[in-house]
């Protein structure tokens, strides 16, 4: 199999506030656009023809692929949904067999290899990568009942009666095409009392093939796998991916012209780009990736498995917590404590505490604080597309979109999301989600009276 189709056309509304300014597939994992991990995994499996189906903010996909050759881009045709996206991609493909990968998943080359190996041996009409549900709620995903490495049936966001979730990665033969073309445009395979959106899903066409007697093979993931559907998925994917990368790092890799002070306290391995600096009094407590022209100086503290991009400054006793990713051109200054994901050109100049995801070009005013422990010790209930849910992880983190500024002493309460192009004024306590393009500030009432020595008996 030499051909793969990556589906990267969707608008990703569930991942608000980041979908407003970004195609979900270019959101960063360890400072690299998400779908580029798929591109590399495919190339590592000798897939030499890659077609990317674009739609929403396609220019961002083009930009991210700037360093890659021999990748063809096509614009999605027809109605929304993965079926029309796949049929659009197939118009640019001649091969009888092909891989299909959703662009918003994080998958390793080893799992791709396992799927290809199984498909080559069994030659079904389609084979699918699946993941055991474990503690995941089935109604969050399109799921399957799997028995003896075969999919018995597929259900969309069911209550129960399933063992695995579909991963959005398929090896297929063109014999599947008639089932794609016969798709009714909505998910038929749902439990009684459930509802499906007006959208054509590949998984429903696969269920149609099963009902027609076709054998659909299932291969379980054996490596880290993430489907980035909501903001907390991106936060958790970064955390677990950095832990995975840290566990595999076995030696130092030091670029050109790096300066490492002999008065720095360093544990774990370093991967440094060119012209990096680690200064006196710095504490590095585990594996660290540091991009070109970046510096960590003046007593900064770096916990294990941290990834810091290019042209960054971490200084003056700032603390970067466990498995955090800091994007290119970012700045973390005096006594600022940050955890989670900072995208590009994000600044926390001094003081404050932040946990969550901070979008591109955000500026945290001095002493901006993100609360992450509720007085009732519970997890925050989030609303996603008018549906309430409690995330498995990251429920109490803050999720700030691109181009947001906060004033001095802003307090962001647990679980708050802020839309892009917004400003949170000085001293504002933010209790609930803030819409895009919003100025939110506190208007004080002043009491002004005469005062002087006479108040003290003179």
């Amino acid at each position: 199999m030499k051909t793969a189709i990556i589906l990267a056309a969707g608008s990703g509304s569930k991942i608000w506030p980041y979908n407003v300014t970004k195609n979900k597939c270019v959101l960063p994992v360890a400072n690299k656009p998400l779908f580029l991990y798929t591109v590399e995994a495919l190339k590592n499996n000798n897939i030499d023809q890659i077609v990317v189906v674009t739609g929403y903010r396609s220019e961002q996909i083009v930009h991210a692929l700037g360093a890659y050759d021999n990748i063809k881009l096509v614009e999605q045709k027809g109605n929304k949904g993965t079926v029309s996206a796949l049929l659009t991609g197939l118009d640019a493909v001649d091969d009888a067999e092909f891989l299909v990968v959703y662009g918003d998943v994080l998958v390793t080359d080893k799992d791709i290899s396992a799927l290809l190996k199984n498909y080559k041996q069994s030659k079904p009409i389609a084979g699918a990568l699946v993941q055991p549900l474990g503690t995941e709620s089935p109604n969050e995903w399109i799921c399957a009942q799997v028995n003896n490495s075969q999919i018995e049936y597929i259900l969309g966001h069911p209550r129960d009666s399933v063992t695995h979730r579909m991963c959005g990665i398929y090896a297929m033969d063109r014999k599947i095409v008639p089932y794609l073309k016969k798709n009714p445009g909505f998910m038929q395979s749902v439990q009684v009392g459930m509802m499906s959106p007006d959208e054509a899903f590949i998984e429903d066409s696969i269920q149609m093939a099963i009902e027609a007697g076709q054998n659909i093979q299932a291969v379980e993931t054996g490596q880290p796998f993430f489907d980035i559907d909501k903001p907390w998925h991106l936060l958790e994917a970064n955390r677990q991916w950095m832990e995975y990368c840290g566990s595999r790092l076995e030696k130092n890799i030091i670029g050109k012209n790096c300066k490492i002070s002999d008065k720095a306290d360093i544990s774990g391995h370093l991967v440094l780009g060119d012209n990096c600096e680690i200064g006196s009094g710095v504490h590095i407590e585990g594996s660290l990736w540091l991009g070109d022209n970046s510096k960590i100086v003046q007593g900064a503290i770096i916990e294990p498995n941290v990834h810091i991009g290019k042209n960054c400054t971490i200084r003056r006793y700032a603390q970067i917590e466990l498995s955090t990713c800091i994007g290119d051109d970012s700045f973390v200054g005096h006594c600022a404590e940050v955890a989670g994901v900072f995208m590009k050109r994000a600044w926390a100049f001094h003081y404050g505490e932040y946990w969550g995801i901070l979008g591109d070009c955000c500026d945290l005013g001095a002493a901006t604080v993100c609360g992450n422990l509720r007085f009732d010790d519970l997890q925050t209930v989030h609303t996603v597309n008018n549906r309430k849910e409690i995330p498995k992880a990251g429920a109490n983190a803050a999720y700030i979109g691109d181009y947001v500024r906060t004033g001095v002493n802003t307090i962001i309460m647990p679980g708050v999301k802020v839309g892009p192009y917004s400003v949170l004024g000085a001293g504002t306590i933010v209790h609930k989600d803030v819409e895009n393009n919003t100025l939110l500030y506190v208007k004080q009432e002043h009491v002004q009276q005469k005062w002087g020595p006479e108040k003290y008996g003179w």
Side-chain angles (χ1 to χ4, degrees):
M1 191 175 290
K2 297 295 182 182
T3 300
I5 301 170
I6 300 175
L7 307 184
S11 61
S13 62
K14 292 181 183 179
I15 208 161
W16 182 83
Y18 307 104
N19 67 305
V20 178
T21 50
K22 289 183 172 65
N23 181 305
K24 181 168 59 168
C25 302
V26 305
L27 288 170
V29 173
N31 292 321
K32 183 163 67 177
L34 170 62
F35 84 106
L36 293 187
Y37 287 96
T38 295
V39 170
E40 293 179 359
L42 293 172
K43 288 184 174 293
N44 289 341
N45 279 284
N46 299 313
I47 303 293
D48 54 17
Q49 181 181 359
I50 299 175
V51 175
V52 181
V53 182
T54 65
Y56 181 70
R57 292 195 173 271
S58 58
E59 68 281 356
Q60 296 179 354
I61 300 293
V62 174
H63 177 75
L65 285 169
Y68 293 85
D69 297 324
N70 302 321
I71 294 179
K72 186 173 184 178
L73 287 89
V74 295
E75 193 87 9
Q76 179 171 350
K77 303 173 186 176
N79 297 327
K80 63 182 179 179
T82 52
V83 167
S84 64
L86 176 53
L87 289 173
T88 299
L90 282 173
D91 287 341
V93 170
D94 295 324
D95 293 358
E97 298 175 335
F98 51 91
L99 272 171
V100 180
V101 186
Y102 290 6
D104 58 355
V105 300
L106 179 61
V107 63
T108 64
D109 52 359
K110 290 184 179 179
D111 276 340
I112 294 287
S113 178
L115 178 61
L116 290 172
K117 181 179 179 180
N118 179 274
Y119 182 83
K120 184 178 180 180
Q121 292 172 345
S122 55
K123 288 290 185 179
I125 191 173
L129 199 66
V130 297
Q131 186 177 46
L133 272 171
T135 59
E136 292 275 357
S137 173
N139 64 12
E140 296 292 330
W141 309 105
I142 296 178
C143 297
Q145 179 67 26
V146 176
N147 187 22
N148 293 325
S149 299
Q150 186 171 337
I151 296 178
E152 294 184 344
Y153 56 84
I154 294 172
L155 287 173
H157 296 250
R159 306 180 189 92
D160 48 29
S161 303
V162 285
T163 57
H164 292 70
R165 50 163 298 196
M166 305 294 283
C167 293
I169 303 175
Y170 305 102
M172 290 180 163
D173 186 283
R174 278 190 178 269
K175 293 174 183 177
I176 196 73
V177 170
Y179 300 101
L180 297 172
K181 291 183 175 180
K182 293 177 184 177
N183 192 292
F186 63 95
M187 189 80 179
Q188 300 178 101
S189 186
V190 295
Q191 291 176 325
V192 172
M194 308 294 281
M195 301 177 185
S196 65
D198 186 19
E199 187 173 340
F201 294 89
I202 291 172
E203 292 78 11
D204 203 45
S205 291
I206 295 175
Q207 174 62 23
M208 292 165 61
I210 292 171
E211 292 171 0
Q214 296 289 347
N215 174 31
I216 308 296
Q217 292 292 304
V219 177
E220 281 193 4
T221 57
Q223 304 293 321
F225 171 84
F226 301 94
D227 187 334
I228 313 298
D229 198 38
K230 296 165 187 173
W232 34 91
H233 297 154
L234 181 63
L235 184 66
E236 187 67 6
N238 271 274
R239 183 187 70 81
Q240 292 194 32
W241 187 256
M242 289 313 304
E243 290 179 357
Y244 171 70
C245 292
S247 69
R248 302 175 72 200
L249 192 58
E250 297 179 347
K251 63 180 181 179
N252 293 330
I253 302 173
I254 310 298
K256 300 176 183 177
N257 303 318
C258 291
K259 300 177 182 178
I260 303 176
S261 172
D262 57 6
K263 295 182 179 179
D265 180 15
I266 300 174
S267 301
H269 296 297
L270 304 178
V271 179
L272 306 185
D274 295 340
N275 307 309
C276 291
E277 179 182 356
I278 297 176
S280 175
V282 168
H283 292 265
I284 298 174
E285 300 175 354
S287 299
L288 167 69
W289 287 257
L290 188 63
D292 295 347
N293 307 309
S294 289
K295 60 182 180 179
I296 304 172
V297 294
Q298 299 167 323
I301 301 168
I302 312 296
E303 295 188 4
N305 302 325
V306 165
H307 197 292
I308 299 172
K310 300 176 182 178
N311 307 311
C312 294
T313 297
I314 315 296
R315 72 176 192 181
R316 296 184 180 175
Y317 312 106
Q319 179 166 328
I320 311 299
E321 295 191 6
L322 182 70
S323 301
T324 290
C325 294
I326 306 291
D328 295 348
D329 304 301
S330 293
F331 188 104
V332 184
H334 182 62
C335 292
E337 179 182 354
V338 301
V341 178
F342 272 35
M343 296 189 193
K344 294 179 179 179
R345 293 179 295 282
W347 280 48
F349 197 79
H350 53 258
Y351 299 107
E353 181 274 337
Y354 187 89
W355 173 48
I357 301 176
L358 191 67
D360 283 351
C361 299
C362 285
D363 182 11
L364 296 180
T368 293
V369 172
C370 167
N372 51 55
L373 178 63
R374 293 163 50 108
F375 288 149
D376 58 10
D377 294 323
L378 297 179
Q379 301 298 301
T380 299
V381 178
H382 288 255
T383 301
V384 178
N385 286 355
N386 296 318
R387 177 178 181 268
K388 295 186 181 300
E389 62 179 272
I390 299 177
K392 182 181 176 182
N396 290 344
Y399 300 96
I400 310 300
D402 293 344
Y403 312 108
V404 172
R405 302 186 70 180
T406 70
V408 174
N409 292 321
T410 298
I411 299 176
I412 302 169
M413 299 302 283
V416 163
K417 299 186 286 294
V418 179
Y421 309 111
S422 295
V423 174
L424 309 178
T428 302
I429 302 175
V430 188
H431 293 275
K432 60 182 182 179
D433 292 353
V434 178
E435 295 181 358
N436 312 332
N437 302 83
T438 297
L439 168 62
L440 182 67
Y441 67 96
V442 175
K443 185 177 180 181
Q444 291 183 323
E445 180 179 346
H446 286 191
V447 177
Q448 183 173 334
Q449 299 178 350
K450 291 289 186 180
W451 206 266
E454 64 275 11
K455 292 291 185 182
Y456 303 93
W458 294 93

